[in-house]
Amino acid sequence: MHLRCVDCGETYPADRLVTRCQCGGLLDVVIERTGALDRSGFDRRLTALTGIERSGVWRYRELLPPLPDATIVTKPEGNTNLYEVPGLAAWAGVARLVLKHEGENPTGSFKDRGMTVATSHALWVGAQIVACASTGNTSASVAAYAATAGLPAIVFIPEGKISAAKLGQTIAYGARIVQIRGNFDAAMALVQDAARRYGIYLLNSINPFRLEGQKTIVFELLHQMGWEPPDWIVLPGGNLGNTSAVGKALTELHEAGVIGRLPRVAVIQAAGAAPFYEAYRAGFREYHPVTPETVATAIRIGDPVSYSKARRTIDLTNGVVAAVSDEAIMEAKARIDRAGIGCEPASAATLAGLRQLVSDGVIPVGASVAGILTGHLMKDTDAVMDYHLGPDAANHPLANPPQVIDPTPAALEEILGDVL
Ligand SMILES: *Cc1c(COP(=O)(O)O)cnc(C)c1O
Ligand SMILES: [Zn+2]
């Protein structure tokens, strides 16, 4: 195993954390695997009740960094459900849609898949302390995995702008929280400086070991589909780490002969935070960071760290990028919630984007589609309350506000006459 620069090809050893190449480029983990890959080994591990093999990440360890069992920190993560959703497929306009709910991970987002690998790598290289800058799910995941590993964690957060649930998780799991008077970029700059200065192990998605773990979203998805790829995989894009991981996973499965063809990847951004979409529209000839604003806080990113790796995913899979409005995101979210599944706003960009791409004729009506839901409904209950009870609720087709009455049978009958 070694690290290799995406831009210049320079290599580095993998037994320490190097976050960037000397040229400034992003690094990939390159795993030198020998021999054929035996898919049935993955099936055998499905029956494990305890231990590392129970993890929906480490089940695929032949395709992951070869770390010794003793350093593996697992909760265990993954094993998320794949929901067949004919009603939502019809609403989006496609023949078949399955939703993989990554909100069902231990801390409520896919970040746990990356964190198990990166935290294990941190232990392996002898890290004494870990840190990240984050506006939410990464903080919660770092705090939980550091606590599991027995490592101290420092989380740098921008003032305000963090959901109460995500902050509450981070506080509860015991991370030291440093609140910066400034935005996310300022927090990111400070944590990178501190990491260099004090030898802190950085757990942001610039860390290539995070992306190794996130590849298993695709491994587990395709395993659940009997290794028969869908025509399209749709997911939201913020910092674009997940987009990068999905592309790397598909390439590696294809090269190992596990799948016979590559699905196309569609990345959905929020219209108010869509630098990747704008670059895609310009044929990737130009790229401009933006000042991000969207209700979907998990993808409120103006200058995505993994831009160059994500571009590779689009090139490789003949992928597309789309942008959707906050209104479309919240309507799609209300539909996913009403289906009994539920997700946080950023995740619903998947369904909103799919519907738009079908209506634009990019994704054909007959397509089979797998959508990734990235985070849990309970991560952002403020967004739920605002949609259903906020000042604009009357304009929302699926608004479901509680009804207030006097405690009398007559009053009850008046409001529930239609269902009683
Ligand atoms: C982190 C996150 C995203 C964005 O993923 P990127 O890898 O940054 O593109 C989307 N949704 C949720 C819920 C997240 O936590
Ligand atoms: Zn380089």
Side-chain angles (χ1 to χ4, degrees):
M1 169 169 66
H2 61 273
L3 304 178
R4 186 172 63 207
C5 175
V6 173
D7 291 337
C8 77
E10 178 71 335
T11 61
Y12 298 84
D15 61 359
R16 71 204 72 161
L17 180 64
V18 186
T19 45
R20 268 190 198 277
C21 177
Q22 276 160 6
C23 82
L26 298 171
L27 299 171
D28 266 333
V29 179
V30 180
I31 298 157
E32 297 128 27
R33 218 174 37 76
T34 51
L37 193 68
D38 176 18
R39 252 167 33 181
S40 65
F42 303 148
D43 291 338
R44 271 195 301 278
R45 292 179 190 147
L46 282 172
T47 56
L49 291 178
T50 57
I52 296 166
E53 294 189 350
R54 167 97 191 99
S55 164
V57 172
W58 297 103
R59 178 172 305 132
Y60 307 99
R61 59 192 304 180
E62 286 78 4
L63 295 160
L64 298 180
L67 298 173
D69 282 13
T71 68
I72 289 179
V73 185
T74 176
K75 292 188 55 73
E77 45 295 308
N79 298 304
T80 60
N81 287 302
L82 188 64
Y83 295 99
E84 193 78 51
V85 282
L88 296 176
W91 184 70
V94 284
R96 184 181 179 207
L97 174 64
V98 291
L99 293 175
K100 181 147 182 68
H101 200 346
E102 288 297 302
E104 295 174 347
N105 271 288
T107 77
S109 82
F110 72 81
K111 301 297 197 295
D112 294 344
R113 290 187 187 263
M115 222 51 81
T116 180
V117 175
T119 310
S120 302
H121 180 256
L123 280 187
W124 186 56
V125 304
Q128 300 295 311
I129 180 163
V130 296
C132 73
S134 156
T135 58
N137 286 332
T138 298
S139 310
S141 189
V142 163
Y145 279 80
T148 307
L151 284 171
I154 313 174
V155 168
F156 291 65
I157 59 170
E159 223 166 19
K161 306 243 175 190
I162 172 162
S163 101
K166 297 173 187 181
L167 181 58
Q169 282 183 293
T170 310
I171 292 171
Y173 290 131
R176 289 279 287 271
I177 300 166
V178 181
Q179 200 158 339
I180 309 293
R181 287 190 205 96
N183 62 14
F184 174 79
D185 299 324
M188 192 63 222
L190 187 63
V191 75
Q192 279 182 283
D193 178 71
R196 268 191 304 273
R197 220 181 268 268
Y198 308 112
I200 298 171
Y201 187 98
L202 198 62
L203 281 169
N204 279 92
S205 63
I206 191 171
N207 177 332
F209 291 92
R210 281 262 315 270
L211 304 192
E212 289 303 296
Q214 288 169 211
K215 291 189 310 191
T216 64
I217 299 173
V218 167
F219 297 162
E220 197 176 80
L221 166 69
L222 292 175
H223 195 179
Q224 285 166 311
M225 297 184 82
W227 303 109
E228 205 42 67
D231 300 321
W232 289 82
I233 294 178
V234 186
L235 76 160
N239 247 327
L240 303 174
N242 229 12
T243 301
S244 310
V246 164
K248 193 166 189 282
L250 289 171
T251 313
E252 290 175 4
L253 287 181
H254 196 240
E255 280 169 1
V258 176
I259 54 171
R261 67 183 173 88
L262 291 176
R264 296 179 69 183
V265 173
V267 177
I268 318 299
Q269 296 210 288
F276 191 53
Y277 168 67
E278 294 301 342
Y280 165 79
R281 281 217 310 177
F284 291 120
R285 279 182 300 276
E286 44 188 273
Y287 165 72
H288 305 288
V290 303
T291 304
E293 196 44 77
T294 167
V295 66
T297 52
I299 51 174
R300 188 161 63 197
I301 308 278
D303 189 6
V305 169
S306 295
Y307 174 84
S308 56
K309 287 182 176 177
R311 199 188 141 173
R312 193 172 56 177
T313 298
I314 300 301
D315 290 344
L316 218 91
T317 67
N318 189 21
V320 302
V321 187
V324 291
S325 69
D326 278 6
E327 292 70 40
I329 287 174
M330 289 311 292
E331 194 192 344
K333 174 179 149 54
R335 290 187 183 269
I336 294 164
D337 293 350
R338 269 291 266 279
I341 294 171
C343 65
E344 69 169 282
S347 313
T350 291
L351 182 63
L354 171 61
R355 182 168 147 100
Q356 182 176 302
L357 287 168
V358 174
S359 125
D360 291 347
V362 177
I363 296 186
V365 171
S368 120
V369 180
I372 315 287
L373 300 181
T374 44
H376 199 281
L377 166 74
M378 307 246 278
K379 287 285 195 172
D380 192 347
T381 49
D382 286 349
V384 175
M385 293 310 183
D386 189 60
Y387 180 89
H388 294 278
L389 306 173
D392 212 24
N395 297 323
H396 298 154
L398 297 180
N400 180 32
Q403 292 171 284
V404 183
I405 57 162
D406 289 326
T408 68
L412 187 62
E413 203 155 304
E414 195 178 317
I415 61 155
L416 291 185
D418 55 331
V419 289
L420 294 179

